[in-house]
Structure formats: C-alpha cells, structure tokens
Amino acid sequence: METIARVRREHAKGRSIRAIARSLKVSRETVSKYLRSGETAPRYERHVQPYPRLAAFQKELERLVEENDCQPVRDRLDYRGIFKQLQAAGYQGGYDAVRRYYVIKRWKQRQPAVTPPQAFVPLTFAPGEAYQFDWAEDWIVLDGVTTKVQVAHIRLCHSRMPFVQVYPRQTQEMVFDAHAQAVAFYGGLCERGIYDNMKTAVAAVCVGKERQFNRRFAQMCSHYLVEPVACSPGAGWEKGQVENQVGTLRQRLFTPRRRVTTLDELNAWLRGEVVAWAQSTAHPERKDRTVWEVFQAERPALIAVTEPFDGFHETTVSASKTCLIRFDRNRYSVAAIAAGKPVQVRAYADRIVVWCNGQRIAEHRRVFGRDGTIYNPLHYLPILARKPGALRNGAPFREWELPPALAKVKARLGHSNDADRQFVAILAAILTDGLEAVEAACREALQDGPCGRDVILNILTRRHDVTRPAPVAVPAALTLTIEPAADCARYDRLRAAREVCHGAA
C-alpha cells in the first residue's frame, strides 16, 4: 500500500516510469499497472490458485484425503502424514502447498460454528520444578493381532522432554512401573508431579484442590520426593503440555499402527524415537536450542533416586487344594505348603510374587489374557514324591521342558511303573540339592554309563561338603612315655621263620 502511494507521489513530481521502477526496485509493468488503475490500495484479482508442482498430484491428494477421512479418528493422519504419503507417490514440492490445499479444500469448509475462544494464562516452569503425567489409548498390531494398549505419557514442564511407555492396563502397578522407567530414563524426577484425578492415584476428591491420595500412590511419591498435585475435574488444560504431547506423539509414533512382536520391543523402539524427536525439535521458548539440549541442561536439577520404588499392588487370595491361585482372570501355581491357605499376591507390571507367612512361595511372569493356567512343576515335587503315579498324567508335568541331562536320564529309564518311581526319586533330590546339582549328577552318570536312581543319588551324596570333625586333644596323662617304633624288619624275620618251619615239615 505504501509502495502505491510512493509511485503516485513520484509520478506526480514528473519522474518517468523507468526512474520510479529503478528507485523503488519494482518492475515497470507494476508501476504502469498502479498508475493505470488509479487505485490507492492493492487488490487481489486472482480467482484460480495455480499449483505449479501440486497440480499433477491433486487427484492423488484427493484420494489420500478421502481414504484418510474413512479411517477411525485415532488412525487418521495429520497434514504431515498426508504429505509423506504424497512424497512416496513422487511429489517433490513443499509441505506448505499441501497443507494449504488440505485446509482450504477439505477442512475449512466442514468446520461447525465457531464457539467463543477461552482465555488462558501462559505458564513457565523452572528447571526440575514439575512434570505432568497422563494416560492415553492407542492401537498396535501385536504379534499379528490388533490390540488396544495403554500408553503412559510423562513430560518435563521446563525442557518439554517426553517419555512414553506402553502397558496392557492402566492399573496401579503400571503407574508405579512407568515412574520407575521414567526415573531411569531421565536420571531423576522433578519436585512436583501434576496428575488428573485417576482412581489409581486419588482416593477422594475434596473441596477445591484438596485431595485424598491413595496410600500406595502417596508412598511412591514419598519415595521419589515428589509432591503430587491433582488437576480440577474436567480441566485438562491444567496439564496442557502432556495433553498436547498425547496428540503429537500419537501421529508420529502410532499412526499408522505399529507392528511388533512384544511390548518390550515396542518400548525399546519408542525410547529411540522419543530421543530422535527431542534432538530434532526446537524448544518452543528457546528457539536456538533443541528440546534435547534444554533437557541436558535441566538434568542436574532433577532429584536423583538411588533405588526404584517397589511398585506392587497387593491383594489376598486363597490357594486351592491343587496348589493354584486365581488372580486377574488367570491361575498360577504356588508351593505345595500353601495349599488351602490364604496367600498375599504382589502384582508388578511384568510379574507376580506370592507370599505366605512372610515366605516367598512363588514367582511367575504375568499374563494378561483370560482363563490361562501357569504352572511351575517344582511346586508339585513334594506331592509327586508321595504320589509318583501323577508323573504321567499330571498337568504341571505334561509340557515341562527338562534340562538336557535329566531328559536323557528319563528316556534311558523308559516307561514303566518302576521307571517312574526311580525318576521321581531323582526329581525329589531337587528339593534338597537344587536343580543344577541334580543336572550335573545326571550328566556325570551318563558319561560313566549306568544312570539309575541309586547311581545319581550316590553321586549327589558324595558331592556333599562334609566337614571333618576337629581333632580331640589328648590329655597329658594318656600320652605314651615310649613311642612305638615302626620296624618292618620284624616281618622279614617272621617270613624267614615260616620258611624254616615248612622246610622241616
């Protein structure tokens, strides 16, 4: 607008079009157009927007957009995802052209009536002051099966450094494990943690900001020296950083659906992707530094923790007469001494530990399906020693993968009632000597030849560390005055005398 005014003033002073174009550094055609139109403000007259590079890919872009609109909301790509697909089709233009086309043609026309915007106060956080925690749900293809997973998101408020960990559930032990993994990843935690009112953390919502936190959750915060703070109900903007992280990382990490074999594989991949994202993304407030660089500067301000919190959720159940407990819709075996007794189950994110009268009686890898039964055959050895006939059809022993030497001994013994009794006697030695010692004894017996019950038990007995008794002190009164001398010549004299006797006879 100012350029038009200067053109008009210079022309009124009698300067030529060539001189005006040279002084204002514009073309002569532009100067002539302004003078010819007589307008005092620029007016955009183009009705059709040209797309030099995008024109050949408009139909492909329309197809990608229509396919994307048909996907579930969680699986839809954002502008950058559409741009990457178009690049794979051969498009060599810029991202801005694709984004403008997408917004104008596909998105802006379908927006509902605009609601009045809300106003907020921008927040700032000192290094190590606070972090935010939130859960999200996403979909992956786990070992060929489409599976919904729960994603724990943590974000440091100062550096904006994210942390992501995937779990099957949103239970309390998963919350504990997410914090333990975050401590290992960050090297510590902040002074204050900002949460929503999830039941695994908040037991009761009181007036205002007052909260009654769950006892175990409060224990965890005390262990990590963290002050927990809960948001107002329905006020997600109070932890807006992690809410924004959920949407941002969902597009970058879970769209399209990730195909993995195990959750451990997925979590390892997520760690690398999060670090790569932080190293390539500029900090929103410190534009000259990346998120990773600001995080490295914030690390010394975090509260270091020497040991992770023992994050388990405990419940009491009763063991059946078949030495099984039911937990989380699955059954697990326990030691035979707990049959018919109440036991305490401590559930961790990846395992369960069973206690009875202060003694650990079982530990299993945790499963998350339904109606599964997980056996440990060693739990049933005391029963098997009394009932050796259960070896053939006992459910805990049907799929027992024996160590190589034990398996060879079983094959050598054959299939008979006596063979079963002999092998059960060998297995019973595991209770006293341990599996490794019995396996070593079986290996030695196989090398020597015979590998029956008596041979293997004899080898184990000989390997026991028998401590020799201390020598007894002899009283002085019993000490010999004249020590007997060892004279082997006496035997020679006896032999000579015997030969003389035989000769006389």
Side-chain angles (χ1 to χ4, degrees), residues 18-38:
R18 182 186 296 273
I20 295 172
R22 189 183 301 115
S23 63
L24 298 182
K25 297 182 180 181
V26 295
S27 67
R28 287 176 291 173
E29 290 78 5
T30 302
V31 175
S32 300
K33 182 183 68 173
Y34 289 156
L35 294 176
R36 185 171 56 251
S37 64

Side-chain angles (χ1 to χ4, degrees), residues 42-97:
R43 187 168 56 185
Y44 187 78
E45 297 179 353
R46 177 182 293 169
H47 297 288
V48 179
Q49 173 68 36
Y51 297 100
R53 291 181 178 270
L54 187 60
F57 296 90
Q58 285 186 9
K59 291 184 178 180
E60 178 66 15
L61 178 57
E62 288 286 345
R63 186 185 66 80
L64 292 175
V65 170
E66 290 177 0
E67 290 182 357
N68 191 49
D69 291 343
C70 295
Q71 297 295 325
V73 176
R74 291 184 181 275
D75 295 338
R76 292 178 189 172
L77 299 172
D78 59 358
Y79 306 141
R80 192 166 294 278
I82 295 290
F83 171 66
K84 289 181 179 179
Q85 287 192 346
L86 200 61
Q87 278 187 319
Y91 174 66
Q92 297 181 354
Y95 164 71
D96 289 339

Side-chain angles (χ1 to χ4, degrees), residues 120 132-134 192-198 202 204-211 213 228-240 243:
F120 301 96
Q132 298 177 1
F133 178 91
D134 197 13
R192 185 158 48 97
I194 304 174
Y195 304 85
D196 54 17
N197 297 280
M198 54 187 183
V202 178
V205 179
C206 305
V207 179
K209 288 290 185 179
E210 292 295 324
R211 299 290 186 274
F213 289 98
V229 176
C231 300
S232 301
W237 57 82
E238 294 185 9
K239 52 181 180 64
E243 294 279 353

Side-chain angles (χ1 to χ4, degrees), residues 92-401:
Q92 297 181 354
Y95 164 71
D96 289 339
V98 176
R99 183 177 181 276
R100 284 194 301 268
Y101 184 89
Y102 186 87
V103 170
I104 294 173
K105 298 293 184 181
R106 309 296 305 174
W107 182 80
K108 195 173 181 179
Q109 297 175 358
R110 296 180 296 182
Q111 288 303 297
V114 179
T115 57
Q118 292 179 309
F120 301 96
V121 177
L123 304 178
T124 183
F125 297 88
E129 181 181 354
Y131 67 87
Q132 298 177 1
F133 178 91
D134 197 13
W135 282 107
E137 289 184 348
D138 284 295
W139 292 85
I140 63 171
V141 181
L142 181 61
D143 199 17
V145 179
T146 302
T147 308
K148 180 192 289 186
V149 293
Q150 310 300 321
V151 187
H153 287 263
I154 298 179
R155 188 183 185 96
L156 301 184
C157 296
H158 173 74
S159 62
R160 271 68 167 186
M161 185 65 195
F163 172 78
V164 179
Q165 185 83 3
V166 173
Y167 295 97
R169 310 273 175 79
Q170 289 189 18
T171 51
Q172 192 176 60
E173 58 270 21
M174 309 298 176
V175 175
F176 296 154
D177 187 75
H179 283 75
Q181 298 294 337
V183 168
F185 178 74
Y186 289 136
L189 277 182
C190 302
E191 299 176 358
R192 185 158 48 97
I194 304 174
Y195 304 85
D196 54 17
N197 297 280
M198 54 187 183
K199 293 183 179 179
T200 53
V202 178
V205 179
C206 305
V207 179
K209 288 290 185 179
E210 292 295 324
R211 299 290 186 274
Q212 181 182 347
F213 289 98
N214 183 286
R215 185 182 64 86
R216 286 286 293 165
F217 181 80
Q219 256 184 294
M220 182 203 71
C221 293
S222 176
H223 178 84
Y224 292 126
L225 304 179
V226 171
E227 177 191 356
V229 176
C231 300
S232 301
W237 57 82
E238 294 185 9
K239 52 181 180 64
Q241 287 193 22
V242 73
E243 294 279 353
N244 180 65
Q245 173 180 305
V246 169
T248 301
L249 295 186
R250 173 176 290 152
Q251 286 291 333
R252 283 163 173 74
L253 303 179
F254 296 97
T255 306
R257 295 174 181 175
R258 187 72 183 173
R259 295 179 175 271
V260 294
T261 306
T262 62
L263 291 184
D264 292 336
E265 174 191 342
L266 176 60
N267 286 323
W269 178 80
L270 289 174
R271 300 282 178 86
E273 290 297 310
V274 164
V275 172
W277 177 85
Q279 291 174 343
S280 61
T281 303
H283 193 273
E285 294 180 357
R286 297 165 178 80
K287 303 291 186 180
D288 57 332
R289 305 175 67 184
T290 62
V291 171
W292 181 257
E293 292 171 344
V294 179
F295 165 63
Q296 294 298 326
E298 185 186 15
R299 248 181 176 168
L302 300 178
I303 301 174
V305 181
T306 56
E307 295 182 359
F309 178 67
D310 190 16
F312 61 83
H313 175 71
E314 187 175 80
T315 183
T316 301
V317 299
S318 180
S320 67
K321 292 183 179 180
T322 54
C323 305
L324 292 172
I325 61 168
R326 180 173 291 276
F327 176 76
D328 196 16
R329 299 179 180 178
N330 293 287
R331 296 187 298 172
Y332 301 86
S333 67
V334 296
I337 59 173
K341 298 179 182 179
V343 297
Q344 292 74 44
V345 180
R346 294 183 177 181
Y348 295 83
D350 57 347
R351 69 189 191 280
I352 67 164
V353 181
V354 187
W355 294 75
C356 181
N357 296 328
Q359 180 183 0
R360 179 184 292 193
I361 59 172
E363 182 172 350
H364 293 277
R365 178 185 58 84
R366 187 172 178 180
V367 295
F368 294 94
R370 291 188 179 186
D371 303 324
T373 304
I374 296 86
Y375 292 110
N376 182 351
L378 300 180
H379 292 158
Y380 294 89
L381 289 186
I383 306 174
L384 190 64
R386 293 184 287 105
K387 301 179 179 180
L391 180 63
R392 291 191 182 183
N393 301 109
F397 314 111
R398 296 299 294 270
E399 299 180 359
W400 188 10
E401 295 184 4

